[in-house]
Amino acid sequence: MKFFRPLVLTLLFVTFVAGVTYVTMHRLDDWGLFADSSAEEVISEYEPEEASTYPFIIPMEGPEVTGFPFEFSFLDDYFSVQAQIDHRVYHGAMTAQRGFLLTEDAGDEERFAAIATYYNKLTFDPEMDDAIDSVIEQMRSIRDDLELNSDQYIELMTKFVQTIPYDEDRGFVSDLYGNEVKALGDPRMPIQVLVDGKADCDEKVMLLAALLTREGFGTSVLFFEAEQHMALGVRSAEGGFAGTGYEFVETTGLSYVSEIPEEFIGGIVLESDPVVLLLDPGEATGGNHVIDGHFSAEAITQVARIIEVRNTAETAAEEKRAFIESTPMTEAEFERENALFQACITAMNSLRATVDNLGYDTGDFMDRSDAIEWINQYAWWE
């Protein structure tokens, strides 16, 4: 017993000293006096600058992923673009909290301001910079090889995003009666689209905005709340769509920048006026950005001309066919008149996105520069 008593007292004393030391160091660590420098860097890197319910990416481990190999055509050339992906950022985007909070009595102005901030956070999270930059590098290479001007560069990036397959399974929720209804929500971030290889309307809008704003073009979301549809707005040299100052860009299928399709995927017809949600990287990064690039007045006029030629081609075709069927002519004359008739058919099929009987894109769509060149040479009815 005499032997164990000193031992027990020694153990109690050591335990006491260890406890006091732990508590003291823990408290000093809370005060920032013993913090590890590497831990501080990790915390400061991923902690949002201010408390927020908006989404942000915290890179996290997960399986390796690669960018989807997108293929598309532009001005009769074919290109392949594949983003360089950090799998940690991708998995961080997948698990990032979606949604935001509003007070019960929030009005429309507050609600739309919150939606704008929400999409800015999703679009411009700085963790995605490397992935977006890798796409931009490839876009710039194509631009330089083809010697594209500013308008054509906008169209190149637009064409790339438009040809990304539309994800028909996104954007629908079940209502109280179990019916599937169109509703925007839980959108993928641009880095997810670059890996998944498909997207719906707001996901495509965010990816295109991330590309265009990085190259100095002003963008916005054109939000049609009644139809639950989003289109991109690119800054206009003129009044823009419905006086918004932004030209309409439909991302879900092929169409010209500033063209408003008569009907959209899912049979949507736009009848309401859009809410303009400004897209600004500063919303997510806190930086200052000068973004004044725009789609030119000349390009807007040319698109209007293309649409007019396309819309009048059907009537010209009917008139030419009636003339051919009712007029005696030599074989040479027939060949000439038939070539004029076929020019109308080409305008009807190639100055808009067309699909075959199985619903696949025919690949005949003419980009604006090619379309204007073709019209100048073959559109006899203009």
Side-chain angles (χ1 to χ4, degrees):
M1 289 294 293
K2 291 182 178 180
F3 173 78
F4 287 106
R5 184 176 180 183
L7 178 62
V8 170
L9 291 174
T10 301
L11 290 174
L12 289 172
F13 176 77
V14 170
T15 302
F16 173 77
V17 171
V20 171
T21 302
Y22 173 79
V23 171
T24 302
M25 293 189 67
H26 182 71
R27 178 59 61 192
L28 291 174
D29 181 67
D30 285 346
W31 295 338
L33 299 180
F34 281 94
D36 179 73
S37 60
S38 62
E40 284 185 333
E41 289 175 2
V42 171
I43 292 171
S44 64
E45 182 178 0
Y46 299 127
E47 188 176 57
E49 294 182 358
E50 56 183 334
S52 172
T53 58
Y54 294 104
F56 62 95
I57 296 175
I58 299 178
M60 62 185 302
E61 289 300 335
E64 291 286 342
V65 296
T66 57
F68 188 89
F70 297 101
E71 295 183 353
F72 68 104
S73 66
F74 186 71
L75 296 180
D76 296 326
D77 281 324
Y78 288 86
F79 304 97
S80 179
V81 170
Q82 185 172 16
Q84 299 298 310
I85 303 296
D86 181 339
H87 71 282
R88 297 175 66 253
V89 177
Y90 172 77
H91 292 296
M94 285 185 63
T95 57
Q97 180 67 43
R98 297 296 196 269
F100 53 89
L101 300 177
L102 286 172
T103 60
E104 285 186 333
D105 59 349
D108 282 346
E109 183 175 350
E110 183 179 351
R111 181 165 59 90
F112 289 134
I115 294 173
T117 300
Y118 176 67
Y119 276 98
N120 273 287
K121 298 289 188 182
L122 289 170
T123 302
F124 302 115
D125 191 297
E127 292 293 346
M128 297 187 291
D129 285 355
D130 288 344
I132 300 300
D133 282 342
S134 71
V135 175
I136 286 293
E137 288 178 7
Q138 296 168 74
M139 290 292 165
R140 289 175 179 171
S141 178
I142 298 171
R143 176 197 63 189
D144 295 343
D145 288 345
L146 299 182
E147 298 181 345
L148 303 180
N149 60 31
S150 176
D151 295 321
Q152 291 171 320
Y153 193 33
I154 292 174
E155 292 165 330
L156 170 70
M157 290 185 280
T158 297
K159 185 80 169 289
F160 162 62
V161 173
Q162 287 178 336
T163 54
I164 294 175
Y166 182 78
D167 191 349
E168 297 182 356
D169 295 329
R170 301 283 291 184
F172 288 88
V173 297
S174 297
D175 63 14
L176 295 176
Y177 306 99
N179 301 312
E180 291 292 302
V181 295
K182 182 71 174 175
L184 298 170
D186 191 25
R188 285 176 285 217
M189 294 184 181
I191 193 172
Q192 294 174 264
V193 174
L194 292 173
V195 172
D196 297 350
K198 55 186 177 180
D200 67 0
C201 64
D202 56 344
E203 294 167 346
K204 286 191 168 199
V205 165
M206 287 191 290
L207 175 57
L208 183 53
L211 297 173
L212 289 174
T213 54
R214 218 171 200 79
E215 295 299 76
F217 299 104
T219 62
S220 68
V221 172
L222 301 179
F223 177 35
F224 298 86
E225 186 171 27
E227 295 83 4
Q228 285 294 287
H229 183 67
M230 284 187 173
L232 181 85
V234 62
R235 193 182 300 280
S236 174
E238 299 189 333
F241 173 72
T244 60
Y246 293 86
E247 292 301 327
F248 187 102
V249 183
E250 179 55 29
T251 60
T252 60
L254 293 181
S255 61
Y256 297 104
V257 174
S258 76
E259 177 185 2
I260 300 92
E262 295 178 359
E263 185 174 294
F264 302 82
I265 289 179
I268 296 175
V269 177
L270 298 181
E271 297 179 349
S272 65
D273 292 327
V275 177
V276 179
L277 310 176
L278 299 182
L279 291 173
D280 176 9
E283 282 277 354
T285 65
N288 294 319
H289 299 263
V290 178
I291 302 176
D292 55 8
H294 58 268
F295 199 57
S296 75
E298 178 184 10
I300 295 168
T301 299
Q302 288 181 344
V303 170
R305 182 185 177 195
I306 292 169
I307 294 171
E308 178 64 21
V309 168
R310 184 185 70 198
N311 290 344
T312 56
E314 184 174 1
T315 299
E318 291 173 353
E319 293 175 353
K320 183 57 66 178
R321 180 174 180 174
F323 175 76
I324 292 172
E325 291 176 346
S326 63
T327 306
M329 60 185 70
T330 65
E331 183 175 349
E333 290 172 334
F334 172 78
E335 291 294 334
R336 177 182 178 279
E337 295 299 320
N338 186 56
L340 296 175
F341 171 75
Q342 292 300 324
C344 301
I345 302 302
T346 298
M348 293 164 58
N349 291 337
S350 299
L351 302 184
R352 63 161 57 89
T354 54
V355 295
D356 60 21
N357 61 322
L358 297 177
Y360 295 109
D361 184 356
T362 62
D364 295 332
F365 181 79
M366 288 188 195
D367 296 299
R368 177 182 55 86
S369 301
D370 282 347
I372 290 298
E373 183 177 342
W374 185 90
I375 286 171
N376 289 338
Q377 187 171 357
Y378 297 109
W380 56 268
W381 64 95
E382 186 185 22

